[in-house]
Amino acid sequence: METRLSSVQAGLTVLAAALPDDPESQTVLGWICAHLTEVELLPGQEPGSTGAQSPDAPARVAVICDDTALAEHTERAGTAVVFVSSTGVPPTNGWPAARIRSMHRPGWLPGERHQGVHQAGTVAPPRAVRARNGRGALIRLAVPEAADPADSTRLLRTAQDALAEAADCPVFAVHLYGPGSARATETVTALLPGATVYQDRDPAAERALSEASLLVSSPALTSVTLAQTARIPLALLPPLGAHQQRAAAVLDSAGAPLAVLSGDHARRTDEAEALRRALDAPDELAHWADAAQQAAGDDRRGAQRIARKVRQLLLAPM
């Protein structure tokens, strides 16, 4: 049983931060923080910015996803850091100084263990959603801050074209997340007037997943987990930005049974056929991931494991 902190210990605070322009990093942080409801969470800011920590409630511990510069700065300032690489691979610029280094590494992802790094396994949402209604496609679009509205238009049209050629699978909802998501809302309503639009951490987006027969998503490890738990197929959109390009490469190395959309008109027929095969065998991705995770001893409780590391540091003598 996990040791839990008393809710009356209001002085115990945790600095929580992720890369500000990486929607996937923010998603993983949110799923971890969902298991830290008994402590006060302070938002992380850039090193040197005013108000990075409240003088009335300085953080004893920080949980930081992917932001190596902030992790280094925070650890040097005397706050114990639990650093999380959400990408399934080590940080491109090396591991930062941190009290605990942890990696979000699903059991279906190939690769070696890294010495001195806590292997968290799959980081999953706090509530598993199982699809039931099969209303059509749910698009999960990650929009970085620097994204142009034309980028969202291009990706949505890529999904529209593939779905139109593949099967009768209308887009009934779009979940926009990331710092540029608000700017993409008008694009979605113009291209998909009948679709419901969800923003960021709207809990209604979870209910939408329970009604989907297909998830069409920006490249992300967490999207595999969402499709796996919902027992629906997954199709990947072309990557938008460096973070998504890296995620696409990691997913490609895993060999997961999913459809990959390129937006290339010459490949549309092949991509539509891949979508048809996925819709005809909706449990294929789930069975593949289940088997790989069982072999690896991965129970999709990575978020709880990382939260436990945070609590251990909070309870440790100063």
PDB file of all heavy atoms in Angstrom, residues 229-243:
ATOM      1  N   THR A 229      -6.614   0.933 -24.490  1.00  0.00           N
ATOM      2  CA  THR A 229      -7.600   0.759 -23.435  1.00  0.00           C
ATOM      3  C   THR A 229      -9.025   0.862 -23.974  1.00  0.00           C
ATOM      4  O   THR A 229      -9.937   0.206 -23.470  1.00  0.00           O
ATOM      5  CB  THR A 229      -7.395   1.789 -22.314  1.00  0.00           C
ATOM      6  OG1 THR A 229      -7.404   3.110 -22.872  1.00  0.00           O
ATOM      7  CG2 THR A 229      -6.067   1.564 -21.616  1.00  0.00           C
ATOM      8  N   ALA A 230      -9.222   1.680 -25.014  1.00  0.00           N
ATOM      9  CA  ALA A 230     -10.552   1.805 -25.615  1.00  0.00           C
ATOM     10  C   ALA A 230     -10.873   0.631 -26.534  1.00  0.00           C
ATOM     11  O   ALA A 230     -12.032   0.454 -26.919  1.00  0.00           O
ATOM     12  CB  ALA A 230     -10.657   3.113 -26.398  1.00  0.00           C
ATOM     13  N   ARG A 231      -9.856  -0.151 -26.914  1.00  0.00           N
ATOM     14  CA  ARG A 231      -9.997  -1.303 -27.818  1.00  0.00           C
ATOM     15  C   ARG A 231     -10.466  -0.855 -29.194  1.00  0.00           C
ATOM     16  O   ARG A 231     -11.362  -1.449 -29.805  1.00  0.00           O
ATOM     17  CB  ARG A 231     -10.962  -2.361 -27.258  1.00  0.00           C
ATOM     18  CG  ARG A 231     -10.870  -2.626 -25.777  1.00  0.00           C
ATOM     19  CD  ARG A 231      -9.495  -3.079 -25.341  1.00  0.00           C
ATOM     20  NE  ARG A 231      -9.175  -4.445 -25.702  1.00  0.00           N
ATOM     21  CZ  ARG A 231      -8.087  -5.110 -25.287  1.00  0.00           C
ATOM     22  NH1 ARG A 231      -7.227  -4.488 -24.472  1.00  0.00           N
ATOM     23  NH2 ARG A 231      -7.853  -6.326 -25.662  1.00  0.00           N
ATOM     24  N   ILE A 232      -9.843   0.206 -29.703  1.00  0.00           N
ATOM     25  CA  ILE A 232     -10.157   0.707 -31.039  1.00  0.00           C
ATOM     26  C   ILE A 232      -8.857   0.881 -31.816  1.00  0.00           C
ATOM     27  O   ILE A 232      -7.783   0.997 -31.231  1.00  0.00           O
ATOM     28  CB  ILE A 232     -10.914   2.051 -30.990  1.00  0.00           C
ATOM     29  CG1 ILE A 232     -10.113   3.109 -30.219  1.00  0.00           C
ATOM     30  CG2 ILE A 232     -12.310   1.873 -30.404  1.00  0.00           C
ATOM     31  CD1 ILE A 232     -10.752   4.495 -30.220  1.00  0.00           C
ATOM     32  N   PRO A 233      -8.912   0.874 -33.150  1.00  0.00           N
ATOM     33  CA  PRO A 233      -7.703   1.095 -33.946  1.00  0.00           C
ATOM     34  C   PRO A 233      -7.211   2.529 -33.860  1.00  0.00           C
ATOM     35  O   PRO A 233      -7.955   3.444 -33.489  1.00  0.00           O
ATOM     36  CB  PRO A 233      -8.133   0.731 -35.374  1.00  0.00           C
ATOM     37  CG  PRO A 233      -9.612   0.890 -35.375  1.00  0.00           C
ATOM     38  CD  PRO A 233     -10.091   0.581 -33.984  1.00  0.00           C
ATOM     39  N   LEU A 234      -5.935   2.698 -34.241  1.00  0.00           N
ATOM     40  CA  LEU A 234      -5.287   4.004 -34.189  1.00  0.00           C
ATOM     41  C   LEU A 234      -4.669   4.321 -35.538  1.00  0.00           C
ATOM     42  O   LEU A 234      -4.009   3.467 -36.145  1.00  0.00           O
ATOM     43  CB  LEU A 234      -4.201   4.002 -33.112  1.00  0.00           C
ATOM     44  CG  LEU A 234      -3.265   5.219 -33.044  1.00  0.00           C
ATOM     45  CD1 LEU A 234      -4.034   6.478 -32.667  1.00  0.00           C
ATOM     46  CD2 LEU A 234      -2.142   4.967 -32.040  1.00  0.00           C
ATOM     47  N   ALA A 235      -4.884   5.534 -35.999  1.00  0.00           N
ATOM     48  CA  ALA A 235      -4.219   6.047 -37.204  1.00  0.00           C
ATOM     49  C   ALA A 235      -3.447   7.295 -36.815  1.00  0.00           C
ATOM     50  O   ALA A 235      -3.964   8.145 -36.083  1.00  0.00           O
ATOM     51  CB  ALA A 235      -5.241   6.372 -38.294  1.00  0.00           C
ATOM     52  N   LEU A 236      -2.215   7.401 -37.301  1.00  0.00           N
ATOM     53  CA  LEU A 236      -1.368   8.542 -36.950  1.00  0.00           C
ATOM     54  C   LEU A 236      -1.386   9.592 -38.050  1.00  0.00           C
ATOM     55  O   LEU A 236      -1.229   9.292 -39.236  1.00  0.00           O
ATOM     56  CB  LEU A 236       0.075   8.087 -36.725  1.00  0.00           C
ATOM     57  CG  LEU A 236       0.360   7.193 -35.529  1.00  0.00           C
ATOM     58  CD1 LEU A 236       1.865   6.972 -35.408  1.00  0.00           C
ATOM     59  CD2 LEU A 236      -0.196   7.783 -34.236  1.00  0.00           C
ATOM     60  N   LEU A 237      -1.546  10.842 -37.637  1.00  0.00           N
ATOM     61  CA  LEU A 237      -1.423  11.980 -38.541  1.00  0.00           C
ATOM     62  C   LEU A 237       0.048  12.292 -38.785  1.00  0.00           C
ATOM     63  O   LEU A 237       0.911  11.863 -38.008  1.00  0.00           O
ATOM     64  CB  LEU A 237      -2.103  13.203 -37.925  1.00  0.00           C
ATOM     65  CG  LEU A 237      -3.625  13.139 -37.815  1.00  0.00           C
ATOM     66  CD1 LEU A 237      -4.125  14.247 -36.897  1.00  0.00           C
ATOM     67  CD2 LEU A 237      -4.260  13.270 -39.199  1.00  0.00           C
ATOM     68  N   PRO A 238       0.376  13.038 -39.828  1.00  0.00           N
ATOM     69  CA  PRO A 238       1.760  13.489 -40.004  1.00  0.00           C
ATOM     70  C   PRO A 238       2.211  14.328 -38.810  1.00  0.00           C
ATOM     71  O   PRO A 238       1.404  15.037 -38.200  1.00  0.00           O
ATOM     72  CB  PRO A 238       1.696  14.335 -41.287  1.00  0.00           C
ATOM     73  CG  PRO A 238       0.486  13.845 -42.010  1.00  0.00           C
ATOM     74  CD  PRO A 238      -0.495  13.456 -40.950  1.00  0.00           C
ATOM     75  N   PRO A 239       3.490  14.242 -38.447  1.00  0.00           N
ATOM     76  CA  PRO A 239       3.972  14.997 -37.278  1.00  0.00           C
ATOM     77  C   PRO A 239       4.002  16.495 -37.538  1.00  0.00           C
ATOM     78  O   PRO A 239       4.207  16.946 -38.665  1.00  0.00           O
ATOM     79  CB  PRO A 239       5.376  14.444 -37.051  1.00  0.00           C
ATOM     80  CG  PRO A 239       5.792  13.902 -38.384  1.00  0.00           C
ATOM     81  CD  PRO A 239       4.543  13.407 -39.046  1.00  0.00           C
ATOM     82  N   LEU A 240       3.808  17.238 -36.466  1.00  0.00           N
ATOM     83  CA  LEU A 240       3.830  18.692 -36.521  1.00  0.00           C
ATOM     84  C   LEU A 240       4.868  19.169 -35.514  1.00  0.00           C
ATOM     85  O   LEU A 240       4.646  19.157 -34.314  1.00  0.00           O
ATOM     86  CB  LEU A 240       2.441  19.235 -36.161  1.00  0.00           C
ATOM     87  CG  LEU A 240       2.129  20.703 -36.455  1.00  0.00           C
ATOM     88  CD1 LEU A 240       2.281  21.008 -37.935  1.00  0.00           C
ATOM     89  CD2 LEU A 240       0.711  21.028 -35.993  1.00  0.00           C
ATOM     90  N   GLY A 241       6.036  19.541 -35.991  1.00  0.00           N
ATOM     91  CA  GLY A 241       7.089  20.022 -35.104  1.00  0.00           C
ATOM     92  C   GLY A 241       8.051  18.920 -34.697  1.00  0.00           C
ATOM     93  O   GLY A 241       7.809  17.726 -34.894  1.00  0.00           O
ATOM     94  N   ALA A 242       9.160  19.346 -34.096  1.00  0.00           N
ATOM     95  CA  ALA A 242      10.255  18.427 -33.765  1.00  0.00           C
ATOM     96  C   ALA A 242       9.840  17.371 -32.741  1.00  0.00           C
ATOM     97  O   ALA A 242      10.251  16.208 -32.846  1.00  0.00           O
ATOM     98  CB  ALA A 242      11.447  19.221 -33.239  1.00  0.00           C
ATOM     99  N   HIS A 243       9.041  17.734 -31.736  1.00  0.00           N
ATOM    100  CA  HIS A 243       8.647  16.770 -30.714  1.00  0.00           C
ATOM    101  C   HIS A 243       7.820  15.644 -31.311  1.00  0.00           C
ATOM    102  O   HIS A 243       8.030  14.464 -30.995  1.00  0.00           O
ATOM    103  CB  HIS A 243       7.860  17.472 -29.606  1.00  0.00           C
ATOM    104  CG  HIS A 243       8.620  18.541 -28.889  1.00  0.00           C
ATOM    105  ND1 HIS A 243       9.824  18.307 -28.257  1.00  0.00           N
ATOM    106  CD2 HIS A 243       8.342  19.857 -28.710  1.00  0.00           C
ATOM    107  CE1 HIS A 243      10.261  19.434 -27.712  1.00  0.00           C
ATOM    108  NE2 HIS A 243       9.386  20.377 -27.981  1.00  0.00           N
TER     109      HIS A 243
END
